[in-house]
Amino acid sequence: MNTSSPKVSQKVRTAIFPVAGLGTRFLPATKATPKELLPVLDKPLLQFAMDEARDAGIERMIFVSHPSKSAIERYVHHDEELCDALRSKGKHGIADRLGKDAIDPVAEQAHFVMQPTPLGLGHAVLCAVDEVLPGPVAVILPDDLIVGQKGCLREMIEAYETGVAGHMVATMEVSRDEVSAYGVLDPDGDVEGQCMTARGMVEKPEADAAPSLQAVVGRYILDASIFDDLRQQDPGLGGEIQLTDAIAKGIERVGLCGFRFSGQRFDCGSKAGMLRATLAFAGRHDEFRSILEDHASLPLAAE
Ligand code: UTP
């Protein structure tokens, strides 16, 4: 392991959820329903992300949203009236579940900030700056669903708190055809356990120019200096303030590590990924398994 990279070990107390994007790949569904509330069966993507943050011991959740996406706020907060109505009909199970899923106003901190224009992921993260607790911050992109024995953010925080680097990004190996859709790590050759230190990171490189096949997916733990780097960040690819560029800028100062998470990732920002996630979850339930089996043997009906 590279001993020259600065050692940082601070508690990760804040998680930022950027949820202000336009979700164009899911239009027209996302015209009125935020992408982050689209469900895998009955569970919205944002709920998976909140559960992952809770499991990781996060104290404060900051949702960076857009004024047109008020459904997200409504979803996150407890709905007493709905729960009462459900209980009056004897539906205690679902009322309990809704109570457990929503933010507990006594035990949990939830803050909302607005990103009036979706100027990129880096800009969305910067919008949260006034609400974060001291120390490094986690960023969770709800449309990257990661499921496994251990929550992805929890395993990242455990590795992060050993002080491997100031910035940590979740990575997975992809094929060369796919690299141009991702931020890609430039590893320095040091690997220890699930951590791979890196000297750089490039946003959406051409296949031939990619420094590796280690693609960055939607989980980050970032040293607090990321906010200074984001403030100074000029728009990059697509005219957006890229989080990748700001991370790359801080590498010499705080170090960068790619974390090869152990769970399975579904790109639920795409229709194909959402379909894969839905099929994978459906396959776990007896009530759906027979439908999947029947469907596999059916000829496709014309659209
Ligand atoms: P994506 O780029 O996948 O989301 O951003 P998008 O732009 O909404 O989707 P498409 O590409 O148009 O279909 C990943 C996450 O970052 C948020 C999105 O809401 C999503 O949760 N995001 C993205 C912001 O909050 N602000 C931005 O400016 C961009």
Side-chain angles (χ1 to χ4, degrees):
M1 186 57 62
N2 184 357
T3 47
S4 64
S5 71
K7 294 279 170 191
V8 185
S9 180
Q10 297 175 66
K11 198 166 159 40
V12 184
R13 304 170 61 197
T14 307
I16 299 171
F17 300 79
V19 293
L22 294 172
T24 51
R25 284 169 290 168
F26 265 105
L27 282 169
T30 45
K31 187 176 165 202
T33 304
K35 171 172 75 173
E36 298 78 8
L37 295 184
L38 295 179
V40 175
L41 299 178
D42 59 358
K43 184 166 170 175
L45 294 174
L46 186 59
Q47 188 66 55
F48 285 97
M50 289 167 63
D51 290 349
E52 191 179 320
R54 285 168 164 158
D55 166 72
I58 290 296
E59 293 169 44
R60 178 175 294 183
M61 302 188 203
I62 303 176
F63 301 89
V64 181
S65 188
H66 183 270
S68 69
K69 296 174 90 171
S70 57
I72 291 188
E73 245 173 296
R74 219 166 57 242
Y75 179 79
V76 160
H77 293 304
H78 184 57
D79 188 337
E80 192 81 51
E81 214 176 300
L82 175 58
C83 287
D84 287 349
L86 290 166
R87 289 190 196 286
S88 72
K89 291 179 191 302
K91 296 180 187 287
H92 296 284
I94 185 63
D96 289 347
R97 178 175 166 189
L98 293 185
K100 214 155 54 68
D101 285 352
I103 292 290
D104 174 342
V106 178
E108 295 179 310
Q109 303 175 32
H111 291 225
F112 272 80
V113 294
M114 292 297 136
Q115 184 191 27
T117 315
L119 296 176
L121 183 56
H123 182 260
V125 169
L126 182 57
C127 287
V129 63
D130 292 335
E131 305 295 333
V132 300
L133 293 168
V137 295
V139 177
I140 302 186
L141 306 190
D143 56 351
D144 260 336
L145 172 59
I146 301 179
V147 286
Q149 292 283 339
K150 198 170 189 178
C152 180
L153 188 59
R154 177 144 67 101
E155 62 177 3
M156 283 177 77
I157 288 179
E158 284 171 9
Y160 185 85
E161 290 183 348
T162 66
V164 58
H167 293 328
M168 176 180 274
V169 294
T171 59
M172 59 184 270
E173 188 162 326
V174 297
S175 69
R176 196 155 284 280
D177 312 343
E178 295 173 300
V179 279
S180 59
Y182 293 91
V184 174
L185 213 60
D186 183 2
D188 64 13
D190 277 337
V191 177
E192 193 174 297
Q194 289 167 269
C195 295
M196 176 186 278
T197 51
R199 58 187 156 228
M201 193 170 146
V202 197
E203 185 63 19
K204 302 191 170 74
E206 296 289 329
D208 298 344
S212 77
L213 300 179
Q214 290 298 320
V216 177
V217 301
R219 302 290 182 277
Y220 306 79
I221 300 176
L222 303 170
D223 182 76
S225 62
I226 192 71
F227 295 111
D228 289 333
D229 287 332
L230 281 169
R231 273 193 201 97
Q232 289 161 25
Q233 189 63 48
D234 292 325
L237 202 68
E240 296 189 341
I241 308 279
Q242 297 289 349
L243 185 59
T244 305
D245 295 343
I247 292 173
K249 206 189 278 174
I251 294 175
E252 269 193 35
R253 230 178 320 112
V254 302
L256 170 66
C257 155
F259 182 82
R260 293 177 301 171
F261 56 93
S262 53
Q264 187 180 6
R265 177 250 186 183
F266 297 95
D267 173 13
C268 291
S270 75
K271 285 177 279 230
M274 185 60 122
L275 177 60
R276 278 196 193 96
T278 304
L279 292 172
F281 276 76
R284 294 177 181 181
H285 296 276
D286 286 343
E287 62 177 308
F288 302 129
R289 206 169 297 136
S290 64
I291 298 175
L292 294 178
E293 283 161 10
D294 287 352
H295 188 75
S297 59
L298 280 178
L300 263 187
E303 214 181 311

